[in-house]
Amino acid sequence: MTKLEKLELQSADVTRKNVDALAALFPHIVTEAMDDDGNLVRQVDFEALRQELSDYVVEGKEVYQINWPGKLAAEFASNAPISKTLRPNLADSVDFDTTKNLFIEGDNLEAMKLLQESYLGKVRLIYIDPPYNTGGDLVYRDDFSSSTQEYLWKSRQINEVGEKLISNTEANGRFHSDWLSMIYPRLRLAKRFLAQDGVILVSIDDAEQASLRRLMDEVFGEQNFIAQLVWEKGRKNDAKLFSTGHEYVMVYAKSKSTLRERKTVWREEKPGAREIWDEYTRLRELHGSDDAAIEKDLSAWFAALPRTAPSKKWARYKRVDANGPWRDRDISWPGGNGPTYDVINPATGTPVRIPDAGWRYSDPEEMKRQIKLGLVVFREEDPEATPFRKAHLRPVEGEGSDVSDDEAEENEGEAELAVQVRGTYFYRQSQTSVKHLRALMGAKVFNNPKDHEVLSRLFEYVLGGKGGIVMDFFAGSGTTAEAVFDLCARTGLNCPVLLVQLPELLEDNLKSATGSAKTTIQNAIKFLQELDKPLTIAELTKIRIQKAGAQILASRTPSDWNGDVGFRAFTVDTSNFREITTTPDVANQEALLDLVESVKGDRGALDVLIEVLIAWGLDVSAPITVEIIEGHQVYSVEDGALLACLDGQLDEALIRALALRAAADTTQKVVFKDTGFASDDAAINAYQIFGQLSPDTAVKVI
């Protein structure tokens, strides 16, 4: 190469990538033409593509799918690139230099487009609690070609003088269509973020449950549906017909086949099991090897428990041996038609009765192994009776092995304590989260917050004991962040959390609010005014996350947990770079750089660096350090994986120092500002120096 490359500063153009992929497979179906602005564009000849795939395309085939007015525009919105960036907000950040968590303030569709290259296929869990479309405003805007005012006018949300007209009420003919057009492109982008073993959870109520189910079948594939959970929150005694106190959580996998291939099994520790083990440990220290004394005291402990205590449910774990508390379990094959063979009672030397369903263990050798481990109990009162097996609270190695694939209740041999599979229905009173959040914030400033403890346990369940990035692009009250902090503090998992929240004005919501909802918004406005903060939901969210993180960190000493409760705060904003509209004359067409200052005057070096990371698809939470090299400020990202010097008046001494540094540290990328060079010749010289000293390093200008 003989010139520096210009770094493309725009979000990924998904449509262009799809066209390029088709061109690689079928070159003849892609044509090139000039658009009205003189730019070369590639177009797909769909008839040629149809002929290419004629063996697989059924003419006139009707497809089962969900349609609504505006669907094509919504699909286009998910693919269209944008020229925006994320601007770091150091003042609102917590532990900016060390945290891996992100909080982004802005439209989530824009934020997701900016981050899709950096986090493509890397997110293990997405949880969202989107607007339920219960008659409130849909404030998310997907028309990026117009200003906010123009969009509101086109969508008939304001009149000609800018006054807001209506909410998205059921009287609106596009009530469901508008909601679907809002959520559809966001779900399409969400799928790109998910890892192959990733899972998405979406909260919803009856208003859009049916539409959401069909839409997620289309986006994620019906074959990837896992479950529709029912979250019961309490009865409403003022209901006229039925009390609707529940919500749903839709659960879909990115690839259910991947979960099967990896033999993924989701289990959770039985609630109350740890308390039983703690009591057993205390009694073992008290009574030594006297199992009978331990059993007697353990039974008394169970009897004294309140009826609502979680451990009460597992009172059958009252027998004790050297391996701890155990309960009896059926030894027959789940579902019937199991193997039949003779099992000898060691005390009598005679066979015992074979259960009608057959033995649980597939062959006699496995049965003998279980007997040798002391896990099969023969009945003294009836030596010929079918024995039972032990199921320990803390399973013995090999316990519960060799079971059928149809067994759905337990896989006890792989857990520290007894585990269970979750059902699709669970109960948690809604006032629990309201009281918690009021105590945390010092006032009731959120309506209908989700319960962070419920989400923490649910996240732990679907993550399966593994860490990974958790994403919530409808951050709302910030419950997801607190749930993740709680999860990591309890388990030691490493789960960076990525949050996006629209800077929705509280005063706008106040105009249409009534009753207790209006009082809550008034409380929130007063709360923020006292702190001299902007009156937005996003501002409340950041404060909640900070308070929750500090509380969890103070109450729990990190062991394996890294203690990361901070976040890098960003705002979606216009690009840091001016649009250059001048065209070089013929004599200067070989010029490398337009020497007009491209960076806007109110943008700093860190702003520019973050946009560079986004453009290159790098992690915006990566460690960033600042060094002084040859008198110039140099940013080092991810321990030197990227070096950036955005100063002016760059000299040869700096270029040589950076080239040598890049070669020594195996730096992959180096970035300069175009106006940092005094002339085109200086830029060419810089590139040649890197070509000689560090030829494997990508060098670009912005």
Side-chain angles (χ1 to χ4, degrees):
M1 294 177 62
T2 59
K3 67 177 184 177
L4 290 174
E5 292 184 347
K6 193 80 171 177
L7 183 59
E8 184 73 23
L9 295 168
Q10 188 182 57
S11 69
D13 188 336
V14 178
T15 300
R16 187 182 67 185
K17 287 188 174 185
N18 291 338
V19 172
D20 291 343
L22 286 172
L25 293 171
F26 313 109
H28 63 284
I29 72 166
V30 177
T31 60
E32 295 183 344
M34 303 295 289
D35 64 14
D36 294 339
D37 297 324
N39 299 314
L40 189 66
V41 295
R42 308 178 82 184
Q43 298 176 328
V44 176
D45 184 337
F46 288 102
E47 185 57 38
L49 178 60
R50 176 180 291 275
Q51 292 175 7
E52 188 71 36
L53 302 175
S54 58
D55 290 342
Y56 303 98
V57 176
V58 180
E59 294 293 338
K61 180 181 179 181
E62 295 183 358
V63 180
Y64 175 78
Q65 62 181 349
I66 181 171
N67 282 306
W68 67 91
K71 181 179 180 180
L72 289 178
E75 186 171 329
F76 175 79
S78 67
N79 290 338
I82 58 172
S83 295
K84 292 200 172 186
T85 189
L86 299 178
R87 294 190 65 191
N89 182 346
L90 296 180
D92 284 357
S93 298
V94 178
D95 300 327
F96 185 93
D97 292 336
T98 57
T99 185
K100 300 296 288 184
N101 305 316
L102 304 182
F103 181 88
I104 299 171
E105 191 171 346
D107 188 299
N108 50 18
L109 188 60
E110 295 177 333
M112 293 167 75
K113 287 185 177 188
L114 293 170
L115 294 178
Q116 61 181 320
E117 292 297 304
S118 300
Y119 291 90
L120 183 67
K122 295 180 181 179
V123 176
R124 290 210 59 231
L125 169 63
I126 295 176
Y127 170 75
I128 57 172
D129 182 23
Y132 284 0
N133 204 19
T134 54
D137 298 329
L138 290 179
V139 297
Y140 290 88
R141 177 174 61 89
D142 297 326
D143 183 356
F144 301 110
S145 62
S146 61
S147 68
T148 303
Q149 290 295 104
E150 289 173 332
Y151 171 78
L152 293 173
W153 163 245
K154 289 177 183 178
S155 59
R156 300 297 184 264
Q157 295 180 53
I158 60 173
N159 59 22
E160 62 275 7
V161 294
E163 296 171 333
K164 205 165 191 178
L165 296 178
I166 59 171
S167 298
N168 188 40
T169 64
E170 294 185 33
N172 178 6
R174 291 175 56 90
F175 179 72
H176 295 290
S177 297
D178 288 347
W179 188 88
L180 286 165
S181 291
M182 180 277 294
I183 199 70
Y184 182 45
R186 290 162 175 82
L187 291 176
R188 284 170 57 89
L189 277 166
K191 184 179 180 181
R192 299 171 195 166
F193 281 84
L194 281 178
Q196 277 302 106
D197 63 346
V199 178
I200 182 170
L201 313 175
V202 184
S203 285
I204 199 67
D205 71 355
D206 282 318
E208 294 294 353
Q209 173 270 329
S211 298
L212 179 65
R213 176 71 183 270
R214 292 184 63 191
L215 187 62
M216 293 190 72
D217 279 346
E218 179 173 322
V219 174
F220 294 95
E222 189 174 0
Q223 71 278 9
N224 292 315
F225 170 75
I226 293 177
Q228 180 171 309
L229 311 182
V230 179
W231 183 345
E232 177 62 51
K233 296 187 174 184
R235 185 175 300 178
K236 301 175 182 178
N237 290 323
D238 59 346
K240 297 295 187 293
L241 300 175
F242 283 97
S243 171
T244 305
H246 66 273
E247 295 178 359
Y248 306 97
V249 181
M250 301 281 187
V251 186
Y252 279 75
K254 170 70 173 288
S255 170
K256 202 171 178 180
S257 62
T258 297
L259 298 183
R260 284 194 294 267
E261 289 168 7
R262 298 181 183 181
K263 298 181 178 178
T264 301
V265 177
W266 291 347
R267 294 292 183 268
E268 67 178 358
E269 185 179 292
K270 290 182 176 179
R274 191 160 299 277
E275 288 76 10
I276 299 171
W277 184 262
D278 290 343
E279 178 63 14
Y280 160 74
T281 302
R282 186 187 71 82
L283 294 173
R284 177 64 74 184
E285 292 176 355
L286 178 65
H287 296 295
S289 60
D290 190 346
D291 290 347
I294 296 174
E295 285 185 359
K296 179 180 178 182
D297 286 358
L298 188 60
S299 295
W301 180 80
F302 276 122
L305 287 174
R307 183 177 56 84
T308 56
S311 301
K312 191 83 168 181
K313 183 178 180 182
W314 312 116
R316 287 181 64 187
Y317 285 98
K318 60 186 177 183
R319 305 287 298 277
V320 170
D321 63 15
N323 295 309
W326 60 272
R327 55 170 289 194
D328 59 288
R329 292 293 304 275
D330 186 12
I331 202 169
S332 60
W333 188 270
N337 298 317
T340 58
Y341 48 81
D342 284 342
V343 174
I344 305 300
N345 186 329
T348 63
T350 58
V352 297
R353 285 192 291 274
I354 299 172
D356 293 340
W359 294 113
R360 175 184 178 83
Y361 304 111
S362 59
D363 59 66
E365 292 305 313
E366 177 59 27
M367 177 65 80
K368 290 177 182 178
R369 192 179 75 84
Q370 294 287 326
I371 294 172
K372 187 176 181 180
L373 288 172
L375 299 176
V376 178
V377 180
F378 294 88
R379 303 174 191 269
E380 294 181 2
E381 68 280 6
D382 184 0
E384 294 183 358
T386 303
F388 58 85
R389 64 187 177 96
K390 291 182 179 180
H392 285 87
L393 185 69
R394 188 185 293 272
V396 178
E397 184 177 356
E399 183 176 335
S401 60
D402 195 29
V403 300
S404 77
D405 291 336
D406 294 330
E407 184 178 23
E409 184 186 12
E410 295 189 53
N411 188 4
E412 295 178 321
E414 297 180 359
E416 183 182 5
L417 288 173
V419 295
Q420 64 182 10
V421 64
R422 285 183 68 125
T424 57
Y425 171 89
F426 58 96
Y427 173 81
R428 179 73 164 196
Q429 223 282 337
S430 60
Q431 284 303 307
T432 303
S433 56
V434 173
K435 292 176 181 177
H436 166 76
L437 204 49
R438 183 190 292 121
L440 181 70
M441 301 292 283
K444 185 181 178 183
V445 296
F446 286 110
N447 281 312
N448 305 315
K450 287 293 184 289
D451 191 303
H452 78 281
E453 291 182 348
V454 170
L455 292 183
S456 178
R457 299 289 177 177
L458 185 57
F459 295 171
E460 180 183 7
Y461 186 75
V462 300
L463 286 172
K466 301 176 184 178
I469 298 171
V470 178
M471 183 180 192
D472 181 354
F473 47 89
F474 287 97
S477 62
T479 301
T480 295
E482 185 169 1
V484 171
F485 294 163
D486 175 79
L487 165 63
C488 294
R490 288 188 296 102
T491 65
L493 292 178
N494 177 24
C495 299
V497 60
L498 198 168
L499 307 164
V500 186
Q501 175 57 36
L502 191 75
E504 198 175 344
L505 293 175
L506 289 166
E507 291 176 325
D508 284 350
N509 290 342
L510 186 62
K511 296 174 183 176
S512 57
T514 59
S516 61
K518 184 173 185 177
T519 302
T520 301
I521 296 173
Q522 290 171 334
N523 291 341
I525 291 173
K526 181 180 178 182
F527 177 83
L528 291 172
Q529 286 174 334
E530 291 175 351
L531 296 174
D532 195 25
K533 295 284 188 178
L535 305 182
T536 67
I537 293 177
E539 208 63 38
L540 284 174
T541 310
K542 285 183 283 187
I543 295 171
R544 188 265 177 92
I545 296 170
Q546 187 171 356
K547 285 179 174 289
Q551 186 179 83
I552 290 174
L553 195 61
S555 62
R556 301 176 189 175
T557 303
S559 51
D560 296 333
W561 177 40
N562 59 22
D564 184 5
V565 295
F567 57 89
R568 285 186 176 180
F570 294 93
T571 304
V572 176
D573 206 337
T574 57
S575 172
N576 297 296
F577 299 90
R578 297 186 176 94
E579 292 187 15
I580 306 299
T581 57
T582 57
T583 303
D585 55 37
V586 176
N588 292 318
Q589 282 185 358
E590 297 301 320
L592 295 174
L593 309 167
D594 186 340
L595 296 180
V596 176
E597 176 59 60
S598 58
V599 178
K600 295 175 181 176
D602 62 339
R603 307 298 172 91
L606 186 59
D607 290 321
V608 175
L609 178 64
I610 295 298
E611 187 161 0
V612 168
L613 297 182
I614 293 169
W616 237 320
L618 300 178
D619 185 358
V620 295
S621 70
I624 300 172
T625 58
V626 181
E627 304 175 35
I628 302 299
I629 301 177
E630 295 294 335
H632 290 274
Q633 181 173 271
V634 177
Y635 287 96
S636 173
V637 180
E638 201 73 69
D639 297 324
L642 178 145
L643 298 174
C645 183
L646 306 174
D647 289 354
Q649 302 300 313
L650 304 180
D651 51 37
E652 187 172 325
L654 171 70
I655 301 302
R656 287 189 175 276
L658 286 180
L660 291 170
R661 165 74 176 274
D665 293 350
T666 62
T667 295
Q668 301 167 6
K669 302 173 176 65
V670 176
V671 176
F672 300 105
K673 195 167 62 169
D674 54 5
T675 53
F677 297 101
S679 65
D680 291 348
D681 290 339
I684 294 172
N685 185 51
Y687 188 79
Q688 291 174 341
I689 291 172
F690 269 92
Q692 295 169 1
L693 300 179
S694 185
D696 295 331
T697 302
V699 183
K700 296 202 177 188
V701 294
I702 52 177

